[in-house]
Amino acid sequence: VGVLLMLLAHFLWFGFWLLLVYAVFFFVAFHLFVINYEEPTLTKKFGRSYKAYLKQVPRWAPRCSRRSARGRLRALSRRPKSP
C-alpha cells in the first residue's frame, strides 16, 4: 500500500501519466498475488482461524470508525495480563 501511495504522489507531483498507469498495474498485480497465492496458502496453514481473521479485517484499507475502535479496545482489555 505504501509503494502504491508513493507512486500516486509522484504522479500528482510530476504529472507524468505513465506513473499512474504503472501504479494501477502494480496494484492489480499485487492484488492478484494476494488473492491467488497468499490467502489460499495461509488458509491451508491456519484453517478456520485465518478465515475468521479474513471476515474481521479488511484487505486493503483499515476501518476508521469509533465502533471498530471500541471493539479493539474491548478485545485488548480481555487479554490475560502477562507476568
Side-chain angles (χ1 to χ4, degrees):
V1 175
V3 172
L4 180 63
L5 291 175
M6 184 186 69
L7 290 171
L8 291 174
H10 277 83
F11 161 71
L12 291 172
W13 184 263
F14 296 113
F16 189 51
W17 284 95
L18 196 55
L19 285 171
L20 183 62
V21 172
Y22 182 67
V24 170
F25 173 77
F26 179 81
F27 176 76
V28 169
F30 194 71
H31 181 73
L32 291 174
F33 172 79
V34 168
I35 297 291
N36 294 319
Y37 176 75
E38 188 174 78
E39 288 181 357
T41 301
L42 292 171
T43 301
K44 287 178 189 174
K45 186 172 184 175
F46 297 108
R48 275 190 251 147
S49 63
Y50 184 69
K51 286 184 181 182
Y53 171 80
L54 286 176
K55 288 180 183 177
Q56 293 177 0
V57 178
R59 185 174 286 130
W60 298 118
R63 292 184 192 113
C64 296
S65 68
R66 288 179 177 237
R67 187 174 186 184
S68 65
R70 273 190 239 130
R72 284 191 303 267
L73 288 174
R74 272 191 235 120
L76 287 172
S77 65
R78 288 186 217 142
R79 285 186 182 172
K81 295 182 180 177
S82 57

